Structure formats: C-alpha cells, structure tokens
Amino acid sequence: MTGRERFLATANRRPSDRTPVWFMRQAGRCLPEYRALREKYDFMTLARTPELAVEATLMPVDILGVDGAVLFADIMLPLEGMGIPFEIKPGIGPVIAEPVRTMADVERIRVVGPEEGTPYVLEALRLLRRELGDRAAALGFAGAPFTLACYLIEGRPTKEYPLTKALMYGQPDVWHALMTKLTDITVRYLQGQVAAGADVVQLFDSWLGLLDSASYRTFVQPYTAKIFAALKGSVPTIHFSTGTVQLLEDIRDAGPDIVSVDWRLPLGRAWDVIGDGLGIQGNLDPALLMAPWTVVEAASREILAQANGRPGHVFNLGHGIMPQTDADQLKRVVELVAGHRRG
Ligand code: CP3
C-alpha cells in the first residue's frame, strides 16, 4: 500500500498492511532543514508563499517517511480574513493587539471564505496534492472554535484562560455569537481545504482540557458537531485535544471519524471509552522522545499492543513535537511502526 492508501484505509476503519504514522507539528520545530529555511524567511512569509509552505510540508515526508503530510500553516491564519490582526511572537506565540471581549467586537468579525481570507492556504494545498502524489495523505487542519476563542479573548497564550471562562459563563450571549461566527468561518475554511485537495482534515482543540463535561456540552460541542456534520461524506475528520479524559464520550458524540488522544490513558482504554465505531489517533508522550531509544521503543510497542491490530489506529504523539526533539528518534519510531505487522 502507498502511504496515502494506508492512511485512508485506516481512517475509514478498513484493514491496511500496517499502522499509518505521522507526527503533530512535524513540519516545523525540530528538523534542522526547517530551521535552515526559517533563517531565510519569517514564519508568515513561509505560510503565505505556497512553494515555501509545500517545501516545509514535504520535509518530514522525505526525511522521516511518515504516511501523512500536514500542511505547513497555523490555526491563527484565518484571523486575517476575519479582520483581526495578529503576530506570532518568538517565545510567546500568537498575540492579538485588540482582543475580542464585547458584543460590538464580535459584530466586527468578518465571516469570509478561504478564497478571500486565506487564498494562499488553498493554493498550497493544491500544490501539495500534486507534489505529494500517493506517498502520503495530505492533511488539512483548522483551529476549533473554542481554542480560537481562547486566543481571541485573551489576546495571547495563557495557562488557565480566565477571561475566556469569565465571558463564556458570564456573557453567554456574546459567547454564543462568537462561537457561531467562528463555526461558520471554520466550516468554510475546511470545506475549501477539501476542495483544494486535503485527503483528511484535523480540528485542533488544544485547550479543551480546561472544561468539564457539562460546560463542554453547553458551550462547545454543538459548534464542533456542526463542523463535523458539514464535512460528513467528504473526507475523514480527526478531533484533536489534550487533557480530555473527562470528555472522551462527549467528543465522540460530536461526530469525528477519529479521536486523537494523549498519553494520560492507555490507548486501549481510551478506545474502549470511545468505542469500536470510531478510529483513534495517538498517543506517545512527546516528552518521552527525550529519553533513550530503548524507552521510546518500549512505549511505542506498548501503544501498538494496546491497539491490538484493530483497524482504525493512526500512530501519532499525544501532542505536538517539542522543539528540542532529536529527529533521529522520530525516524526510528516511524521505522518501528513500519516494521510492525497488524494482527
Ligand atoms: O507540523 C507543523 O508544524 C505544521 C503546521 C502547524 C503550525 N501550527 C505551524 C507553526 C500546525 C498544525 C500548528 C497548529 C497550532 N498552532 C496549534 C494546535 C496544535 C497544538 O500544538 O496544540 C496551536 C495551539 C497553534 C498556535 C501557535 N502557533 C503557537 C502556540 C505558536 C508558538 C509556539 C510554537 O508552536 O512554536 C505558533 C507558531 C507556529 N506555528 C510555528 C510553527 C512552525 C513557529 C513559528 C516559527 O517557526 O517561528
């Protein structure tokens, strides 16, 4: 099987020759080849130039041999089309000068499609699809409305997102108006990516672990469910979050095809909660890649044993690659997964 066939068979829970593997944040961060590219261009130049974005996207496919190629982009890019300027500040992350905190702020957000807001993302995906061939699945992605709302409201990364929760619980009308707009934008953004050639799309809800089940169901799940419903029947969808052991059933009910889980539960137990009707992605602890290979090897084998040959497992980390990771460790994980036969 080619990487693309393997990934798509697994995403549809059909048997494949072996478990597909890719790593979140494989296109930036740890590869020396990426760092060399970053010395010449800043992040936004890379993201806005389709040829350069595709170059960064293909690096892990060529160097690590992964079965999925996640587009070099960022969850913050659609903010440009919304009319909300932001900066990616080194050592901090996304920073927004004028955060969204009132109904008037929400009303100012423009709801536009990616053809207008981020045409370079669509162009990069078209180019990626052509250059990638069948070597790997082309993965599109978007930030989920909740995680985008966290950045929009706080204006920068924080630990607990207190202003976000204050607005969600204290001004639910503003919250729901904001989530409605972000959902519409995200649906159009992901549908545009599918039309441009994405084989699979992943929704990143990185900060979801802040919530309890009841709050998730009231303030977030209806919007996430709308996004997955809008993509049903087009391409397989992956829901990503971390620290969400308390939400696994609720996430399943939002309707993704695959649930990405972190290392806090053994993969088999997480899959038991989610049920055999869905695929699962995960769940190596990215920090563990800093340990000697024998430790990484044992943990990787344990994950494959937990999956136990059931169709529908995509091997990945539980969260993104850490910048200090040695790329050779990742290469060896890919080789280990590739050498493991199912069943
Ligand atoms: O594999 C890849 O790197 C592909 C593209 C990708 C980026 N960001 C590029 C990027 C993806 C899939 C993302 C997702 C993303 N961005 C998430 C969700 C995943 C997660 O880790 O939870 C989030 C929360 C963001 C927001 C964001 N963007 C942060 C917090 C930062 C700064 C810290 C960091 O990750 O380096 C960014 C900037 C960013 N996005 C960079 C890259 C390569 C670093 C920019 C640089 O090279 O200077």
mmCIF file of all heavy atoms in Angstrom, residues 22-29 34 38 42-43 46 70-76 88-94 141 147 151 157 204-207 240 242 319-320 323, ligand 1:
data_model
loop_
_atom_site.group_PDB
_atom_site.id
_atom_site.type_symbol
_atom_site.label_atom_id
_atom_site.label_comp_id
_atom_site.label_asym_id
_atom_site.label_seq_id
_atom_site.Cartn_x
_atom_site.Cartn_y
_atom_site.Cartn_z
ATOM 1 N N TRP A 22 2.167 9.518 11.570
ATOM 2 C CA TRP A 22 2.658 10.886 11.321
ATOM 3 C C TRP A 22 2.770 11.552 12.679
ATOM 4 O O TRP A 22 2.369 10.961 13.703
ATOM 5 C CB TRP A 22 1.729 11.678 10.371
ATOM 6 C CG TRP A 22 0.379 12.060 10.922
ATOM 7 C CD1 TRP A 22 -0.679 11.206 11.150
ATOM 8 C CD2 TRP A 22 -0.064 13.369 11.318
ATOM 9 N NE1 TRP A 22 -1.748 11.915 11.651
ATOM 10 C CE2 TRP A 22 -1.402 13.244 11.757
ATOM 11 C CE3 TRP A 22 0.533 14.638 11.329
ATOM 12 C CZ2 TRP A 22 -2.150 14.337 12.220
ATOM 13 C CZ3 TRP A 22 -0.207 15.725 11.779
ATOM 14 C CH2 TRP A 22 -1.541 15.565 12.226
ATOM 15 N N PHE A 23 3.341 12.743 12.727
ATOM 16 C CA PHE A 23 3.534 13.435 13.997
ATOM 17 C C PHE A 23 2.963 14.846 13.938
ATOM 18 O O PHE A 23 3.226 15.575 12.985
ATOM 19 C CB PHE A 23 5.031 13.536 14.344
ATOM 20 C CG PHE A 23 5.722 12.203 14.398
ATOM 21 C CD1 PHE A 23 6.634 11.860 13.420
ATOM 22 C CD2 PHE A 23 5.448 11.296 15.408
ATOM 23 C CE1 PHE A 23 7.274 10.631 13.451
ATOM 24 C CE2 PHE A 23 6.087 10.066 15.448
ATOM 25 C CZ PHE A 23 6.997 9.724 14.468
ATOM 26 N N MET A 24 2.210 15.206 14.964
ATOM 27 C CA MET A 24 1.726 16.576 15.009
ATOM 28 C C MET A 24 2.914 17.523 15.161
ATOM 29 O O MET A 24 3.836 17.231 15.919
ATOM 30 C CB MET A 24 0.739 16.739 16.164
ATOM 31 C CG MET A 24 -0.593 16.068 15.815
ATOM 32 S SD MET A 24 -1.807 16.233 17.089
ATOM 33 C CE MET A 24 -1.397 14.830 18.118
ATOM 34 N N ARG A 25 2.869 18.627 14.430
ATOM 35 C CA ARG A 25 3.920 19.647 14.366
ATOM 36 C C ARG A 25 5.212 19.098 13.760
ATOM 37 O O ARG A 25 6.289 19.602 14.045
ATOM 38 C CB ARG A 25 4.196 20.236 15.754
ATOM 39 C CG ARG A 25 2.943 20.805 16.452
ATOM 40 C CD ARG A 25 2.275 21.903 15.680
ATOM 41 N NE ARG A 25 3.222 22.874 15.193
ATOM 42 C CZ ARG A 25 3.680 23.891 15.905
ATOM 43 N NH1 ARG A 25 3.248 24.098 17.112
ATOM 44 N NH2 ARG A 25 4.559 24.717 15.401
ATOM 45 N N GLN A 26 5.078 18.103 12.869
ATOM 46 C CA GLN A 26 6.254 17.543 12.206
ATOM 47 C C GLN A 26 6.858 18.501 11.179
ATOM 48 O O GLN A 26 8.018 18.364 10.810
ATOM 49 C CB GLN A 26 5.885 16.221 11.495
ATOM 50 C CG GLN A 26 4.906 16.413 10.323
ATOM 51 C CD GLN A 26 4.384 15.112 9.743
ATOM 52 O OE1 GLN A 26 4.498 14.065 10.364
ATOM 53 N NE2 GLN A 26 3.808 15.157 8.546
ATOM 54 N N ALA A 27 6.050 19.465 10.692
ATOM 55 C CA ALA A 27 6.514 20.310 9.596
ATOM 56 C C ALA A 27 7.344 21.500 10.080
ATOM 57 O O ALA A 27 8.043 22.134 9.300
ATOM 58 C CB ALA A 27 5.330 20.803 8.768
ATOM 59 N N GLY A 28 7.285 21.824 11.326
ATOM 60 C CA GLY A 28 8.112 22.905 11.849
ATOM 61 C C GLY A 28 8.927 22.358 12.999
ATOM 62 O O GLY A 28 9.122 21.162 13.123
ATOM 63 N N ARG A 29 9.385 23.184 13.838
ATOM 64 C CA ARG A 29 10.017 22.763 15.083
ATOM 65 C C ARG A 29 11.327 22.036 14.923
ATOM 66 O O ARG A 29 12.339 22.668 14.834
ATOM 67 C CB ARG A 29 9.041 21.946 15.911
ATOM 68 C CG ARG A 29 7.850 22.778 16.354
ATOM 69 C CD ARG A 29 7.459 22.500 17.759
ATOM 70 N NE ARG A 29 6.521 23.495 18.246
ATOM 71 C CZ ARG A 29 5.623 23.257 19.181
ATOM 72 N NH1 ARG A 29 5.537 22.064 19.712
ATOM 73 N NH2 ARG A 29 4.843 24.216 19.583
ATOM 74 N N TYR A 34 14.231 22.480 8.451
ATOM 75 C CA TYR A 34 13.235 23.540 8.667
ATOM 76 C C TYR A 34 13.903 24.777 9.269
ATOM 77 O O TYR A 34 13.660 25.899 8.857
ATOM 78 C CB TYR A 34 12.097 23.057 9.564
ATOM 79 C CG TYR A 34 11.190 24.192 10.006
ATOM 80 C CD1 TYR A 34 10.286 24.768 9.119
ATOM 81 C CD2 TYR A 34 11.267 24.717 11.298
ATOM 82 C CE1 TYR A 34 9.476 25.835 9.501
ATOM 83 C CE2 TYR A 34 10.464 25.775 11.691
ATOM 84 C CZ TYR A 34 9.572 26.326 10.791
ATOM 85 O OH TYR A 34 8.783 27.381 11.170
ATOM 86 N N ARG A 38 13.879 28.616 8.026
ATOM 87 C CA ARG A 38 13.406 29.702 8.894
ATOM 88 C C ARG A 38 14.433 30.808 9.063
ATOM 89 O O ARG A 38 14.101 31.926 9.418
ATOM 90 C CB ARG A 38 13.014 29.141 10.264
ATOM 91 C CG ARG A 38 11.563 28.801 10.409
ATOM 92 C CD ARG A 38 10.643 30.020 10.411
ATOM 93 N NE ARG A 38 10.509 30.592 11.744
ATOM 94 C CZ ARG A 38 10.973 31.767 12.103
ATOM 95 N NH1 ARG A 38 11.620 32.519 11.252
ATOM 96 N NH2 ARG A 38 10.790 32.208 13.332
ATOM 97 N N ASP A 42 10.739 34.584 7.575
ATOM 98 C CA ASP A 42 9.988 34.512 8.834
ATOM 99 C C ASP A 42 8.750 33.616 8.650
ATOM 100 O O ASP A 42 8.411 33.225 7.529
ATOM 101 C CB ASP A 42 9.621 35.903 9.374
ATOM 102 C CG ASP A 42 8.664 36.658 8.467
ATOM 103 O OD1 ASP A 42 8.042 36.043 7.576
ATOM 104 O OD2 ASP A 42 8.552 37.886 8.638
ATOM 105 N N PHE A 43 8.110 33.304 9.759
ATOM 106 C CA PHE A 43 7.024 32.327 9.732
ATOM 107 C C PHE A 43 5.914 32.710 8.756
ATOM 108 O O PHE A 43 5.448 31.902 7.962
ATOM 109 C CB PHE A 43 6.455 32.118 11.145
ATOM 110 C CG PHE A 43 5.237 31.252 11.146
ATOM 111 C CD1 PHE A 43 5.348 29.882 10.967
ATOM 112 C CD2 PHE A 43 3.970 31.801 11.266
ATOM 113 C CE1 PHE A 43 4.230 29.083 10.924
ATOM 114 C CE2 PHE A 43 2.843 31.005 11.224
ATOM 115 C CZ PHE A 43 2.974 29.637 11.055
ATOM 116 N N LEU A 46 6.780 32.204 5.108
ATOM 117 C CA LEU A 46 6.690 30.782 4.750
ATOM 118 C C LEU A 46 5.239 30.374 4.529
ATOM 119 O O LEU A 46 4.897 29.737 3.542
ATOM 120 C CB LEU A 46 7.283 29.903 5.864
ATOM 121 C CG LEU A 46 8.795 29.864 6.029
ATOM 122 C CD1 LEU A 46 9.169 28.936 7.178
ATOM 123 C CD2 LEU A 46 9.467 29.386 4.748
ATOM 124 N N VAL A 70 1.121 16.984 6.985
ATOM 125 C CA VAL A 70 0.271 18.072 7.481
ATOM 126 C C VAL A 70 0.765 19.382 6.894
ATOM 127 O O VAL A 70 1.959 19.687 6.936
ATOM 128 C CB VAL A 70 0.217 18.090 9.028
ATOM 129 C CG1 VAL A 70 1.587 18.341 9.645
ATOM 130 C CG2 VAL A 70 -0.792 19.125 9.530
ATOM 131 N N LEU A 71 -0.164 20.128 6.325
ATOM 132 C CA LEU A 71 0.189 21.373 5.654
ATOM 133 C C LEU A 71 0.889 22.325 6.611
ATOM 134 O O LEU A 71 0.443 22.528 7.738
ATOM 135 C CB LEU A 71 -1.056 22.057 5.087
ATOM 136 C CG LEU A 71 -0.748 23.349 4.324
ATOM 137 C CD1 LEU A 71 -0.048 23.039 3.006
ATOM 138 C CD2 LEU A 71 -2.008 24.161 4.083
ATOM 139 N N PHE A 72 1.965 22.937 6.148
ATOM 140 C CA PHE A 72 2.625 23.976 6.928
ATOM 141 C C PHE A 72 1.737 25.219 6.906
ATOM 142 O O PHE A 72 1.586 25.876 5.880
ATOM 143 C CB PHE A 72 4.013 24.298 6.375
ATOM 144 C CG PHE A 72 4.725 25.293 7.227
ATOM 145 C CD1 PHE A 72 5.425 24.890 8.344
ATOM 146 C CD2 PHE A 72 4.632 26.638 6.950
ATOM 147 C CE1 PHE A 72 6.039 25.814 9.178
ATOM 148 C CE2 PHE A 72 5.240 27.578 7.776
ATOM 149 C CZ PHE A 72 5.950 27.157 8.880
ATOM 150 N N ALA A 73 1.133 25.522 8.029
ATOM 151 C CA ALA A 73 0.206 26.650 8.175
ATOM 152 C C ALA A 73 0.073 26.882 9.673
ATOM 153 O O ALA A 73 0.896 26.391 10.438
ATOM 154 C CB ALA A 73 -1.147 26.316 7.556
ATOM 155 N N ASP A 74 -0.921 27.618 10.111
ATOM 156 C CA ASP A 74 -1.151 27.761 11.553
ATOM 157 C C ASP A 74 -2.636 27.954 11.802
ATOM 158 O O ASP A 74 -3.342 28.477 10.933
ATOM 159 C CB ASP A 74 -0.368 28.947 12.131
ATOM 160 C CG ASP A 74 -0.367 28.911 13.655
ATOM 161 O OD1 ASP A 74 0.425 28.145 14.221
ATOM 162 O OD2 ASP A 74 -1.192 29.612 14.276
ATOM 163 N N ILE A 75 -3.086 27.569 12.986
ATOM 164 C CA ILE A 75 -4.513 27.726 13.293
ATOM 165 C C ILE A 75 -4.941 29.194 13.309
ATOM 166 O O ILE A 75 -6.116 29.496 13.219
ATOM 167 C CB ILE A 75 -4.908 27.066 14.637
ATOM 168 C CG1 ILE A 75 -4.166 27.700 15.811
ATOM 169 C CG2 ILE A 75 -4.659 25.567 14.596
ATOM 170 C CD1 ILE A 75 -4.766 27.329 17.170
ATOM 171 N N MET A 76 -3.979 30.126 13.419
ATOM 172 C CA MET A 76 -4.334 31.545 13.509
ATOM 173 C C MET A 76 -4.549 32.208 12.149
ATOM 174 O O MET A 76 -5.087 33.318 12.090
ATOM 175 C CB MET A 76 -3.236 32.308 14.262
ATOM 176 C CG MET A 76 -2.950 31.783 15.658
ATOM 177 S SD MET A 76 -4.393 31.810 16.729
ATOM 178 C CE MET A 76 -4.398 33.545 17.181
ATOM 179 N N ILE A 88 2.841 36.406 15.372
ATOM 180 C CA ILE A 88 3.400 35.240 16.064
ATOM 181 C C ILE A 88 4.713 35.720 16.675
ATOM 182 O O ILE A 88 5.682 35.950 15.968
ATOM 183 C CB ILE A 88 3.652 34.074 15.073
ATOM 184 C CG1 ILE A 88 2.375 33.703 14.326
ATOM 185 C CG2 ILE A 88 4.295 32.897 15.780
ATOM 186 C CD1 ILE A 88 1.524 32.611 14.887
ATOM 187 N N LYS A 89 4.716 35.910 17.997
ATOM 188 C CA LYS A 89 5.915 36.455 18.657
ATOM 189 C C LYS A 89 6.810 35.322 19.137
ATOM 190 O O LYS A 89 6.341 34.423 19.840
ATOM 191 C CB LYS A 89 5.507 37.334 19.845
ATOM 192 C CG LYS A 89 4.849 38.628 19.397
ATOM 193 C CD LYS A 89 5.137 39.763 20.371
ATOM 194 C CE LYS A 89 4.633 41.079 19.794
ATOM 195 N NZ LYS A 89 4.165 42.021 20.794
ATOM 196 N N PRO A 90 8.102 35.386 18.790
ATOM 197 C CA PRO A 90 9.035 34.328 19.211
ATOM 198 C C PRO A 90 9.032 34.174 20.727
ATOM 199 O O PRO A 90 9.069 35.171 21.443
ATOM 200 C CB PRO A 90 10.403 34.826 18.711
ATOM 201 C CG PRO A 90 10.103 35.864 17.678
ATOM 202 C CD PRO A 90 8.759 36.449 18.022
ATOM 203 N N GLY A 91 8.957 32.942 21.176
ATOM 204 C CA GLY A 91 8.986 32.664 22.613
ATOM 205 C C GLY A 91 7.651 32.882 23.318
ATOM 206 O O GLY A 91 7.504 32.537 24.478
ATOM 207 N N ILE A 92 6.680 33.476 22.636
ATOM 208 C CA ILE A 92 5.354 33.678 23.241
ATOM 209 C C ILE A 92 4.293 32.889 22.470
ATOM 210 O O ILE A 92 3.613 32.039 23.003
ATOM 211 C CB ILE A 92 4.954 35.180 23.266
ATOM 212 C CG1 ILE A 92 5.988 36.002 24.032
ATOM 213 C CG2 ILE A 92 3.566 35.342 23.889
ATOM 214 C CD1 ILE A 92 5.697 37.498 24.032
ATOM 215 N N GLY A 93 4.178 33.172 21.165
ATOM 216 C CA GLY A 93 3.141 32.549 20.349
ATOM 217 C C GLY A 93 2.246 33.624 19.762
ATOM 218 O O GLY A 93 2.658 34.782 19.651
ATOM 219 N N PRO A 94 1.009 33.259 19.416
ATOM 220 C CA PRO A 94 0.122 34.231 18.765
ATOM 221 C C PRO A 94 -0.290 35.350 19.725
ATOM 222 O O PRO A 94 -0.703 35.088 20.845
ATOM 223 C CB PRO A 94 -1.108 33.391 18.387
ATOM 224 C CG PRO A 94 -0.712 31.966 18.577
ATOM 225 C CD PRO A 94 0.383 31.938 19.565
ATOM 226 N N PHE A 141 -6.061 21.286 8.127
ATOM 227 C CA PHE A 141 -6.463 21.455 9.528
ATOM 228 C C PHE A 141 -6.993 22.853 9.795
ATOM 229 O O PHE A 141 -6.812 23.775 9.004
ATOM 230 C CB PHE A 141 -5.297 21.159 10.487
ATOM 231 C CG PHE A 141 -4.200 22.187 10.457
ATOM 232 C CD1 PHE A 141 -4.217 23.277 11.325
ATOM 233 C CD2 PHE A 141 -3.148 22.076 9.567
ATOM 234 C CE1 PHE A 141 -3.204 24.235 11.310
ATOM 235 C CE2 PHE A 141 -2.131 23.020 9.534
ATOM 236 C CZ PHE A 141 -2.156 24.095 10.412
ATOM 237 N N THR A 147 -10.778 26.796 20.908
ATOM 238 C CA THR A 147 -9.362 27.165 21.045
ATOM 239 C C THR A 147 -9.084 28.511 20.377
ATOM 240 O O THR A 147 -8.326 29.332 20.898
ATOM 241 C CB THR A 147 -8.475 26.019 20.496
ATOM 242 O OG1 THR A 147 -8.575 24.930 21.420
ATOM 243 C CG2 THR A 147 -7.024 26.428 20.349
ATOM 244 N N TYR A 151 -7.733 32.291 22.240
ATOM 245 C CA TYR A 151 -6.734 33.275 21.794
ATOM 246 C C TYR A 151 -7.361 34.626 21.527
ATOM 247 O O TYR A 151 -6.798 35.666 21.865
ATOM 248 C CB TYR A 151 -6.041 32.781 20.519
ATOM 249 C CG TYR A 151 -5.014 31.709 20.763
ATOM 250 C CD1 TYR A 151 -5.142 30.446 20.211
ATOM 251 C CD2 TYR A 151 -3.897 31.976 21.551
ATOM 252 C CE1 TYR A 151 -4.196 29.457 20.433
ATOM 253 C CE2 TYR A 151 -2.943 30.999 21.781
ATOM 254 C CZ TYR A 151 -3.097 29.737 21.211
ATOM 255 O OH TYR A 151 -2.160 28.774 21.446
ATOM 256 N N PRO A 157 -1.332 33.528 24.499
ATOM 257 C CA PRO A 157 -1.446 32.259 25.229
ATOM 258 C C PRO A 157 -1.393 32.494 26.736
ATOM 259 O O PRO A 157 -0.630 33.339 27.203
ATOM 260 C CB PRO A 157 -0.194 31.479 24.776
ATOM 261 C CG PRO A 157 0.281 32.156 23.530
ATOM 262 C CD PRO A 157 -0.128 33.587 23.660
ATOM 263 N N PHE A 204 -8.061 21.151 15.535
ATOM 264 C CA PHE A 204 -7.222 21.267 16.737
ATOM 265 C C PHE A 204 -7.977 22.003 17.833
ATOM 266 O O PHE A 204 -8.166 23.223 17.763
ATOM 267 C CB PHE A 204 -5.954 22.058 16.421
ATOM 268 C CG PHE A 204 -4.869 21.257 15.752
ATOM 269 C CD1 PHE A 204 -4.701 21.290 14.381
ATOM 270 C CD2 PHE A 204 -3.993 20.485 16.500
ATOM 271 C CE1 PHE A 204 -3.690 20.570 13.760
ATOM 272 C CE2 PHE A 204 -2.976 19.755 15.894
ATOM 273 C CZ PHE A 204 -2.819 19.800 14.520
ATOM 274 N N ASP A 205 -8.395 21.285 18.880
ATOM 275 C CA ASP A 205 -8.989 21.952 20.037
ATOM 276 C C ASP A 205 -8.051 21.803 21.229
ATOM 277 O O ASP A 205 -8.340 21.125 22.223
ATOM 278 C CB ASP A 205 -10.398 21.420 20.329
ATOM 279 C CG ASP A 205 -11.334 22.548 20.775
ATOM 280 O OD1 ASP A 205 -10.819 23.634 21.112
ATOM 281 O OD2 ASP A 205 -12.565 22.352 20.790
ATOM 282 N N SER A 206 -6.918 22.494 21.111
ATOM 283 C CA SER A 206 -5.787 22.286 22.029
ATOM 284 C C SER A 206 -6.091 22.575 23.493
ATOM 285 O O SER A 206 -5.512 21.954 24.369
ATOM 286 C CB SER A 206 -4.612 23.152 21.587
ATOM 287 O OG SER A 206 -4.287 22.883 20.250
ATOM 288 N N TRP A 207 -6.986 23.522 23.776
ATOM 289 C CA TRP A 207 -7.181 23.933 25.177
ATOM 290 C C TRP A 207 -8.463 23.378 25.798
ATOM 291 O O TRP A 207 -8.886 23.794 26.869
ATOM 292 C CB TRP A 207 -7.154 25.466 25.293
ATOM 293 C CG TRP A 207 -5.961 26.062 24.614
ATOM 294 C CD1 TRP A 207 -5.965 27.129 23.776
ATOM 295 C CD2 TRP A 207 -4.593 25.620 24.690
ATOM 296 N NE1 TRP A 207 -4.684 27.368 23.319
ATOM 297 C CE2 TRP A 207 -3.835 26.461 23.861
ATOM 298 C CE3 TRP A 207 -3.943 24.581 25.366
ATOM 299 C CZ2 TRP A 207 -2.458 26.303 23.683
ATOM 300 C CZ3 TRP A 207 -2.575 24.419 25.193
ATOM 301 C CH2 TRP A 207 -1.851 25.277 24.371
ATOM 302 N N PHE A 240 -8.727 16.672 17.579
ATOM 303 C CA PHE A 240 -7.566 16.681 18.465
ATOM 304 C C PHE A 240 -7.830 17.491 19.724
ATOM 305 O O PHE A 240 -8.376 18.600 19.666
ATOM 306 C CB PHE A 240 -6.336 17.290 17.764
ATOM 307 C CG PHE A 240 -5.238 17.614 18.738
ATOM 308 C CD1 PHE A 240 -4.405 16.607 19.201
ATOM 309 C CD2 PHE A 240 -5.084 18.894 19.248
ATOM 310 C CE1 PHE A 240 -3.421 16.885 20.150
ATOM 311 C CE2 PHE A 240 -4.109 19.180 20.196
ATOM 312 C CZ PHE A 240 -3.267 18.175 20.640
ATOM 313 N N THR A 242 -6.156 17.618 24.155
ATOM 314 C CA THR A 242 -5.252 17.001 25.125
ATOM 315 C C THR A 242 -5.775 17.284 26.531
ATOM 316 O O THR A 242 -6.454 18.295 26.751
ATOM 317 C CB THR A 242 -3.796 17.491 24.902
ATOM 318 O OG1 THR A 242 -3.023 17.171 26.048
ATOM 319 C CG2 THR A 242 -3.715 18.970 24.651
ATOM 320 N N HIS A 319 0.558 14.997 21.626
ATOM 321 C CA HIS A 319 0.531 16.443 21.370
ATOM 322 C C HIS A 319 1.698 16.722 20.424
ATOM 323 O O HIS A 319 2.375 15.782 19.996
ATOM 324 C CB HIS A 319 0.646 17.226 22.675
ATOM 325 C CG HIS A 319 0.143 18.646 22.578
ATOM 326 N ND1 HIS A 319 -0.064 19.449 23.669
ATOM 327 C CD2 HIS A 319 -0.164 19.416 21.503
ATOM 328 C CE1 HIS A 319 -0.510 20.641 23.285
ATOM 329 N NE2 HIS A 319 -0.571 20.639 21.961
ATOM 330 N N GLY A 320 1.949 17.971 20.087
ATOM 331 C CA GLY A 320 2.965 18.284 19.084
ATOM 332 C C GLY A 320 4.389 17.953 19.521
ATOM 333 O O GLY A 320 4.698 17.918 20.715
ATOM 334 N N PRO A 323 10.312 21.301 20.413
ATOM 335 C CA PRO A 323 11.390 21.809 19.545
ATOM 336 C C PRO A 323 12.736 21.117 19.758
ATOM 337 O O PRO A 323 13.510 20.975 18.826
ATOM 338 C CB PRO A 323 11.483 23.290 19.918
ATOM 339 C CG PRO A 323 10.159 23.626 20.521
ATOM 340 C CD PRO A 323 9.654 22.375 21.165
HETATM 341 O O1 CP3 B 1 3.753 20.466 11.705
HETATM 342 C C1 CP3 B 1 3.601 21.684 11.713
HETATM 343 O O2 CP3 B 1 4.279 22.476 12.355
HETATM 344 C C2 CP3 B 1 2.512 22.128 10.758
HETATM 345 C C3 CP3 B 1 1.881 23.350 10.920
HETATM 346 C C4 CP3 B 1 1.340 23.827 12.237
HETATM 347 C C5 CP3 B 1 1.827 25.022 12.881
HETATM 348 N N1 CP3 B 1 0.974 25.294 13.910
HETATM 349 C C6 CP3 B 1 2.992 25.819 12.450
HETATM 350 C C7 CP3 B 1 3.621 26.765 13.391
HETATM 351 C C8 CP3 B 1 0.257 23.359 12.965
HETATM 352 C C9 CP3 B 1 -0.544 22.114 12.733
HETATM 353 C C10 CP3 B 1 0.025 24.303 14.014
HETATM 354 C C11 CP3 B 1 -1.101 24.193 14.937
HETATM 355 C C12 CP3 B 1 -1.198 25.099 16.079
HETATM 356 N N2 CP3 B 1 -0.796 26.406 16.176
HETATM 357 C C13 CP3 B 1 -1.848 24.759 17.280
HETATM 358 C C14 CP3 B 1 -2.520 23.451 17.558
HETATM 359 C C15 CP3 B 1 -1.579 22.378 17.914
HETATM 360 C C16 CP3 B 1 -1.043 22.411 19.310
HETATM 361 O O3 CP3 B 1 0.191 22.403 19.448
HETATM 362 O O4 CP3 B 1 -1.841 22.353 20.264
HETATM 363 C C17 CP3 B 1 -1.767 25.863 18.132
HETATM 364 C C18 CP3 B 1 -2.291 25.946 19.544
HETATM 365 C C19 CP3 B 1 -1.108 26.899 17.432
HETATM 366 C C20 CP3 B 1 -0.829 28.279 17.882
HETATM 367 C C21 CP3 B 1 0.619 28.612 17.812
HETATM 368 N N3 CP3 B 1 1.293 28.904 16.655
HETATM 369 C C22 CP3 B 1 1.543 28.709 18.875
HETATM 370 C C23 CP3 B 1 1.215 28.456 20.322
HETATM 371 C C24 CP3 B 1 2.775 29.088 18.305
HETATM 372 C C25 CP3 B 1 4.059 29.423 19.003
HETATM 373 C C26 CP3 B 1 4.786 28.315 19.609
HETATM 374 C C27 CP3 B 1 5.235 27.244 18.639
HETATM 375 O O5 CP3 B 1 4.465 26.326 18.447
HETATM 376 O O6 CP3 B 1 6.337 27.329 18.099
HETATM 377 C C28 CP3 B 1 2.611 29.156 16.921
HETATM 378 C C29 CP3 B 1 3.637 29.451 15.912
HETATM 379 C C30 CP3 B 1 3.929 28.377 14.918
HETATM 380 N N4 CP3 B 1 3.013 27.631 14.250
HETATM 381 C C31 CP3 B 1 5.213 27.982 14.478
HETATM 382 C C32 CP3 B 1 5.028 26.986 13.521
HETATM 383 C C33 CP3 B 1 6.078 26.269 12.730
HETATM 384 C C34 CP3 B 1 6.537 28.577 14.977
HETATM 385 C C35 CP3 B 1 6.873 29.774 14.196
HETATM 386 C C36 CP3 B 1 8.337 29.843 13.960
HETATM 387 O O7 CP3 B 1 8.926 28.946 13.300
HETATM 388 O O8 CP3 B 1 8.893 30.836 14.427
#
